């Protein structure tokens, strides 16, 4: 998933990374791409994860993971960081999700009945970033679909998702609907439909060999 997400990053992009799988994206970038990674707690120029024993507890991302700073990185307060987000300065944000609807709605901050600390920066990110890419498992831990006709959890944003990358396939959103672009190796169209509540169409020209799965 992280490797597929890294494919679309262009040289010189400014990218925000959510916690979880999105944090693996930098490790899948070609060495010749210069990309500036952003974190809403006040970091611009996030480097790779620190080596064991070299962690600095004062250097953390928005998910409270220890990180390093790349050459030329800057630190500042979160108000300035959110000004960058709201000002449309980010080329993309890569986020995790609890649910995504077939129209591109996103729910990624609250499960009804469970205690949460708050939404964090998700609402601002999906409204301010030029592109929103979701990286997540295709189904929940109990096997239920996470890509639905309509989200049942509180929304982070309506019709904000541009692409969803799961362990089973890649979907793009256009004209209010979902289009399957890629299937994971060994996954069939029937298997994907069985684990997807949402309706989608298939772009066979972009699937491997242009053939039906």
């Amino acid at each position: 998933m992280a490797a597929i997400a890294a494919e679309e990053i262009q040289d010189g992009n400014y990218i925000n990374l959510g916690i979880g799988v999105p944090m693996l994206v930098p490790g899948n970038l070609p060495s010749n791409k210069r990309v500036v990674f952003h974190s809403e707690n006040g970091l611009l120029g996030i480097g790779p994860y620190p080596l064991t024993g070299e962690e600095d507890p004062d250097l953390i991302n928005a998910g409270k993971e220890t990180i390093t700073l790349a050459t030329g990185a800057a630190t500042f307060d979160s108000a300035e960081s959110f000004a960058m987000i709201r000002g449309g300065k980010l080329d993309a944000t890569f986020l995790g999700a609890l649910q995504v609807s077939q129209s591109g709605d996103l729910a990624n901050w609250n499960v009804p009945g469970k205690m949460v600390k708050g939404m964090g920066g998700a609402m601002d990110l999906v409204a301010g970033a030029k592109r929103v890419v979701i990286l997540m498992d295709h189904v929940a831990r109990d096997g239920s679909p996470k890509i639905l006709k309509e989200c049942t959890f509180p929304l982070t944003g309506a019709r904000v998702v541009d692409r969803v990358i799961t362990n089973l396939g890649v979907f793009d959103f256009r004209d209010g609907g979902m289009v399957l672009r890629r299937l994971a190796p060994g996954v069939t169209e029937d298997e994907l439909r069985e684990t997807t509540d949402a309706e989608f169409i298939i772009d066979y020209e972009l699937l491997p060999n242009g053939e039906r799965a």
Side-chain angles (χ1 to χ4, degrees), residues 139-144 146:
V139 299
R141 292 180 181 178
D142 63 1
S144 60
K146 295 177 66 172

Side-chain angles (χ1 to χ4, degrees), residues 7 22-23 42 56 67 73 90 98 102 108 123 143 156 177 188-189 197 199-201 207 210 213:
E7 290 175 0
M23 287 300 298
D56 183 341
I67 51 92
L90 295 177
L98 297 169
Q102 64 189 33
N108 81 336
M123 183 178 285
T156 306
T188 67
E189 179 185 328
D197 177 68
E199 297 177 359
F200 59 88
I201 62 174
L207 290 176

Side-chain angles (χ1 to χ4, degrees), residues 8 11 39-40 52 54 57 78 82 98 103 128-129 179 211:
E8 66 176 82
D11 191 54
S39 183
E40 59 267 33
T52 301
E54 297 182 4
S78 60
F82 275 90
L98 297 169
S103 58
V179 182
E211 300 173 353

Side-chain angles (χ1 to χ4, degrees), residues 108-147:
N108 81 336
W109 73 280
N110 180 274
V111 177
K114 291 190 176 182
M115 181 71 70
V116 294
K117 295 181 180 179
M119 183 175 285
M123 183 178 285
D124 293 274
L125 285 165
V126 300
K130 297 172 185 174
R131 183 168 171 80
V132 176
V133 180
I134 303 301
L135 294 88
M136 68 178 189
D137 288 334
H138 201 83
V139 299
R141 292 180 181 178
D142 63 1
S144 60
K146 295 177 66 172
I147 304 179

Side-chain angles (χ1 to χ4, degrees), residues 31-55:
S31 58
N32 62 343
K33 280 189 178 180
R34 296 170 299 151
V35 179
V36 180
F37 290 107
H38 168 277
S39 183
E40 59 267 33
N41 62 322
L43 298 170
L44 195 62
I46 298 175
Y49 282 120
L51 298 174
T52 301
E54 297 182 4
E55 301 92 342

Side-chain angles (χ1 to χ4, degrees), residues 35-112:
V35 179
V36 180
F37 290 107
H38 168 277
S39 183
E40 59 267 33
N41 62 322
L43 298 170
L44 195 62
I46 298 175
Y49 282 120
L51 298 174
T52 301
E54 297 182 4
E55 301 92 342
D56 183 341
D58 291 326
L59 289 179
I60 58 171
N61 60 22
K64 298 181 175 59
E65 298 174 305
T66 53
I67 51 92
T68 62
L69 297 180
T71 301
T75 63
F76 32 84
D77 63 42
S78 60
E80 194 165 351
S81 185
F82 275 90
M84 295 175 184
I85 297 170
R86 295 167 183 166
K89 305 300 183 182
L90 295 177
D91 293 292
T93 182
F94 295 109
L95 300 171
L98 297 169
Q99 294 178 341
V100 175
S101 80
Q102 64 189 33
S103 58
D105 300 334
L106 171 65
N108 81 336
W109 73 280
N110 180 274
V111 177

